[in-house]
C-alpha cells in the first residue's frame, strides 16, 4: 500500500497519464474520463493509506468530478477547462487570504515540508514569496481563459500540459531560489 501511495502522490502521474491518453486518442472526452479516474483513484488510495485526504487533492477532486461529469454528459470541454482556472484562482486567493489573516503560514508550511532549512528565512521574505506565488497562480488561471476562448482544444491541451508545467516550475524555482538566498547559511558566506 505504501508503494501505491507513493506512486499516486507523484504529481507527474496525472500529467503522464493525461499526455498518454491525449496523444493516443486525441479525444477530449477520453482525456476527461482519464482525469476523473486518476484523481478518484488518488483520493481512494490516500484515504485508505492515510485515513484522510489532503485538502488540495480533495478540492481538486471536488471540482473535477462535477465539472468533468458535465463535460462528459454535455460533450462540451468548457466545464473541465474552467476547472483549471477556478482551481488556480482558489489557490491564489487562499494564499492571499491566509497572508492577510495570519501571515505567510500556509506557504511557509508547504515549502518547509520540501526544504526544512527554509525555516530560518525571515518573515519579510515569506511575505514576498506568498504574494509572488499568489499572483502567479491568479495570472496562470487568467491566461487559461485566453487559451479556452481564443485557441482550439489541442492548443489548450498543450498549454495545460507543457505551458503550465513550465510556468509552475519557474514560479516555484524562483521562489525557492529567492528563499534560499535569505537563509542564515547563505548570508554568512
Amino acid at each position: 500500500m505504501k508503494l501505491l501511495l507513493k506512486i499516486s502522490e507523484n504529481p507527474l502521474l496525472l500529467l503522464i497519464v493525461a499526455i498518454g491518453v491525449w496523444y493516443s486518442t486525441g479525444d477530449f472526452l477520453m482525456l476527461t474520463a482519464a482525469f476523473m479516474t486518476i484523481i478518484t483513484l488518488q483520493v481512494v488510495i490516500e484515504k485508505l493509506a492515510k485515513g484522510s485526504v489532503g485538502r488540495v487533492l480533495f478540492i481538486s477532486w471536488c471540482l473535477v468530478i462535477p465539472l468533468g461529469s458535465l463535460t462528459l454528459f454535455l460533450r462540451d470541454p468548457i466545464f473541465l477547462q474552467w476547472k483549471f482556472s477556478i482551481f488556480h484562482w482558489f489557490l491564489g486567493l487562499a494564499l492571499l487570504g491566509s497572508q492577510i489573516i495570519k501571515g505567510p503560514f500556509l506557504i511557509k508550511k508547504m515549502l518547509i515540508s520540501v526544504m526544512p532549512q527554509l525555516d530560518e528565512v525571515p518573515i519579510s521574505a515569506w511575505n514576498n514569496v506568498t504574494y509572488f506565488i499568489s499572483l502567479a497562480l491568479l495570472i496562470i488561471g487568467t491566461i487559461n481563459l485566453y487559451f479556452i476562448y481564443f485557441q482550439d482544444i489541442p492548443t489548450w491541451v498543450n498549454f495545460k500540459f507543457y505551458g503550465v508545467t513550465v510556468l509552475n516550475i519557474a514560479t516555484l524555482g524562483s521562489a525557492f531560489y529567492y528563499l534560499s538566498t535569505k537563509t542564515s547559511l547563505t548570508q554568512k558566506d
Side-chain angles (χ1 to χ4, degrees):
M1 184 58 99
K2 286 184 181 181
L3 177 63
L4 201 53
L5 178 64
K6 190 170 184 113
I7 292 169
S8 80
E9 285 180 333
N10 187 332
L12 294 177
L13 173 69
L14 187 59
L15 184 65
I16 290 167
V17 170
I19 288 171
V21 168
W22 176 254
Y23 287 115
S24 65
T25 67
D27 183 359
F28 195 82
L29 297 177
M30 290 293 289
L31 179 63
T32 302
F35 273 132
M36 294 171 67
T37 302
I38 294 296
I39 201 163
T40 300
L41 287 173
Q42 287 175 319
V43 168
V44 169
I45 290 168
E46 193 165 311
K47 179 67 174 169
L48 292 174
K50 293 182 175 178
S52 64
V53 178
R55 278 190 194 149
V56 173
L57 178 60
F58 184 72
I59 291 167
S60 187
W61 182 75
C62 286
L63 288 170
V64 165
I65 296 304
L67 296 174
S69 296
L70 280 171
T71 296
L72 292 175
F73 181 71
L74 298 175
R75 304 180 86 58
D76 186 351
I78 194 75
F79 300 104
L80 194 63
Q81 288 175 308
W82 264 91
K83 174 262 171 203
F84 175 75
S85 286
I86 292 167
F87 183 73
H88 273 72
W89 292 335
F90 176 80
L91 286 179
L93 292 173
L95 287 175
L96 281 176
S98 76
Q99 172 68 23
I100 292 166
I101 295 169
K102 293 186 177 181
F105 84 96
L106 190 58
I107 196 76
K108 185 176 180 181
K109 182 179 175 184
M110 287 189 295
L111 296 184
I112 286 177
S113 70
V114 178
M115 288 181 66
Q117 64 270 31
L118 294 178
D119 197 27
E120 304 169 8
V121 172
I123 197 75
S124 61
W126 284 110
N127 289 337
N128 293 340
V129 165
T130 300
Y131 289 126
F132 172 70
I133 291 177
S134 299
L135 183 62
L137 289 167
L138 295 171
I139 289 171
I140 291 169
T142 304
I143 291 170
N144 183 56
L145 296 181
Y146 167 79
F147 283 91
I148 290 172
Y149 291 109
F150 297 109
Q151 299 297 322
D152 58 5
I153 293 291
T155 304
W156 178 83
V157 170
N158 285 328
F159 164 71
K160 174 95 169 83
F161 288 162
Y162 306 114
V164 171
T165 301
V166 168
L167 289 171
N168 285 334
I169 289 170
T171 299
L172 289 175
S174 300
F176 278 121
Y177 176 76
Y178 173 76
L179 289 171
S180 69
T181 65
K182 301 299 180 182
T183 63
S184 61
L185 296 173
T186 58
Q187 293 190 1
K188 288 179 186 173
D189 294 336

